[in-house]
Structure formats: C-alpha cells, structure tokens
Amino acid sequence: MNIISSLRSNMLLFSGAVLLGIFVLSAVFAPLISPYDPWTYGQAFLHPSAQHLLGTNDVGQDIFSELVYSARVSLWVGFAAASLATLLGVAVGIWAGFRRGWLDNVLMGTADIFLVIPALPLVILLSVYLGPSIWNIILVIALTLWPGTARVIRSQVITIRQSGYVESARIMGASEFRLMWRHVLPNVLPLVAAKFILAVAVALLLEASMSFLGLGDPSQKSWGMMLHYAFSRGGFVQNLYWWYLPPGLCITLCILGLTFINMSFEDRTDPRLQRILDR
C-alpha cells in the first residue's frame, strides 16, 4: 500500500504543479501572450472572434488580454499574503510552543480571537477601514490567515521540544534561540510548506471575494475585479458568458491546483493520513 499511496501523492503533486504552472507562466509572459493592451479602449460588447478570442467588455477592452494580465495581480496577492501570514504564524507558533507559560496563553488567546471571527466579514471590515489598495488587501488577508498556521505549528513544536535531541542540546548549553532555529524550525518545515500552499489558495479566494464586492483596488486588474465589473456593468444580465466565466474558471482551476499540491504535502507530513492510506 506504500507504493499506492506514493503514486497517489505524486499524481496529486504533478497535476497541481501543471495547473499552477500554467497560470504562473501566463502571468510571467503576459506581454508575449496577450494580443492587446488590456487598458486600451475599443468597441464594446464584441462577441468572441478571431480578433478577440473572448470578446470585449463594456469599454471595448480585450477580455483575453485582461484575463492574462489579471493573473499577475491575483497570484501576487495570493503568494504575498500567504508568505506574510505564514511567517507570522510560524514565528508565533514556534515562540508560543517553545516558551509555553503566560506567553503561550497570550499569543494563543490572541489567535483564538481571530479564529472565532469569520474570515470574510473580518476582511471586509478591515478593508473598509484601511481603504482599497493592493498592499492593504495583502495585509488584511495576512492578518486573517496567520492564526491557523500558528495553532498547527505550536502543536508540533510542543512535541518536538520534548524530544531527546532537543533536551541533549539544551543540556549542552544551547541557547533558546539556537534551539528554535537549528533544531525546531527544520523539523516543522514540511508542515509549514503545506500550510503555505493552503494559505495561497485561501488568499486567492479572499482577494476574489473582496474585489467582487467592490473592495479591491480599481487601478489594478485581477480576476476578482473582472467578475466585479462583469456583474456591475451588465455582463450577467446580458448573459455575456465570455466575460464572467473565464475569470471564475481561472480562480477555480488555480485553487484546485494548489489544493492538489497541498494534499500531496499532507500525505507526507500528516501521520494520521499516512496510516489511513497504508491500510
């Protein structure tokens, strides 16, 4: 059964990497792929054709070019917010799990407050207060995602700090910082990678939700902003499916790819899943 579980994990990783790689390459090579400048105005509401593969929107901008360039902002927000949330969650989780005591209670109490509040309402509230900009969106999403990572890392650290090699290093005079940096952190990195990939998927979805609700940065093009304009400017009413379906499919496929990658990491890092797969 080990072979079967390994093949399953590898297939998930390969499938997810292919899906995510398509969008990453599209974002990197957007100027070479898109046939038009996505900001250039033209004839509005053109149907898909050889000149405009996905037609044009209400101001005549080429939707396919918009779609390709929007991958840049959506992926940037997803990875940047997930990176910030993961760094904060790992730092808090390691510090709380290793030090324990009153510091652990304060940090985990703060994390619990964030976890009790649903993510989307909290994101909306903070976005309205801070204002629409890409950096504010990244900050707001990161502030809502770090507690989950901190909780999981803390639980793992509590187990690691009681292991023999950590106790041996402590007896030999290693400082707390060295113990956390050299002995604890390397052992939680696989778990950190899995949490990071999941955070990217959640950040992508939150950014799309915020932009769809009109809380995104109007000066930037993202898949969520495309959905917002399609909804607010008649795309849904007129059933212009070539305007609203492509960004929705891109969001779905990108999150699906990230989910596959995350599942492959979990197969390797979660012993409970491994025992189930080995049966």
Side-chain angles (χ1 to χ4, degrees), residues 1-2 5 8 267 272-279:
M1 292 299 293
N2 285 328
S5 62
R8 173 184 180 273
D267 285 351
R272 295 170 299 177
L273 289 176
Q274 194 61 51
R275 286 197 296 270
I276 293 173
L277 292 171
D278 289 343
R279 288 176 182 175

Side-chain angles (χ1 to χ4, degrees), residues 2-220:
N2 285 328
I3 297 177
I4 296 177
S5 62
S6 178
L7 288 173
R8 173 184 180 273
S9 180
N10 290 334
M11 283 300 299
L12 286 172
L13 181 61
F14 175 76
S15 301
V18 169
L19 282 173
L20 183 61
I22 291 172
F23 293 110
V24 171
L25 290 175
S26 298
V28 172
F29 298 104
L32 301 177
I33 298 174
S34 59
Y36 301 95
D37 182 347
W39 297 98
T40 301
Y41 299 134
Q43 187 175 351
F45 297 128
L46 291 178
H47 287 227
S49 63
Q51 288 74 29
H52 299 279
L53 297 179
L54 295 176
T56 60
N57 59 18
D58 61 311
V59 292
Q61 294 170 339
D62 183 68
I63 293 176
F64 178 75
S65 300
E66 270 196 306
L67 194 71
V68 173
Y69 271 89
S70 293
R72 289 184 162 187
V73 174
S74 294
L75 290 175
W76 162 246
V77 171
F79 279 95
S83 298
L84 184 57
T86 303
L87 287 174
L88 182 58
V90 169
V92 171
I94 291 179
W95 197 253
F98 196 86
R99 294 296 301 273
R100 302 303 301 274
W102 67 269
L103 182 63
D104 182 23
N105 293 333
V106 171
L107 292 176
M108 290 301 100
T110 304
D112 288 340
I113 293 174
F114 279 90
L115 288 171
V116 167
I117 305 173
L120 187 57
L122 180 59
V123 164
I124 293 173
L125 180 64
L126 293 175
S127 298
V128 171
Y129 178 75
L130 294 175
S133 78
I134 289 297
W135 291 107
N136 286 342
I137 291 173
I138 291 172
L139 177 61
V140 166
I141 293 175
L143 287 176
T144 62
L145 294 183
W146 72 267
T149 300
R151 270 288 180 187
V152 173
I153 297 299
R154 169 188 174 272
S155 300
Q156 189 74 8
V157 170
I158 291 175
T159 302
I160 295 174
R161 72 188 293 271
Q162 298 171 349
S163 60
Y165 62 88
V166 173
E167 291 296 332
S168 299
R170 182 184 287 110
I171 293 173
M172 295 176 64
S175 64
E176 286 189 345
F177 179 79
R178 181 176 178 83
L179 289 173
M180 288 186 285
W181 179 256
R182 294 294 301 274
H183 299 284
V184 175
L185 180 60
N187 286 282
V188 298
L189 284 180
L191 187 59
V192 171
K195 295 300 293 182
F196 170 74
I197 295 298
L198 182 61
V200 175
V202 176
L204 273 170
L205 188 59
L206 285 175
E207 187 279 330
S209 302
M210 293 168 61
S211 297
F212 178 75
L213 294 173
L215 299 174
D217 188 346
S219 65
Q220 302 288 340

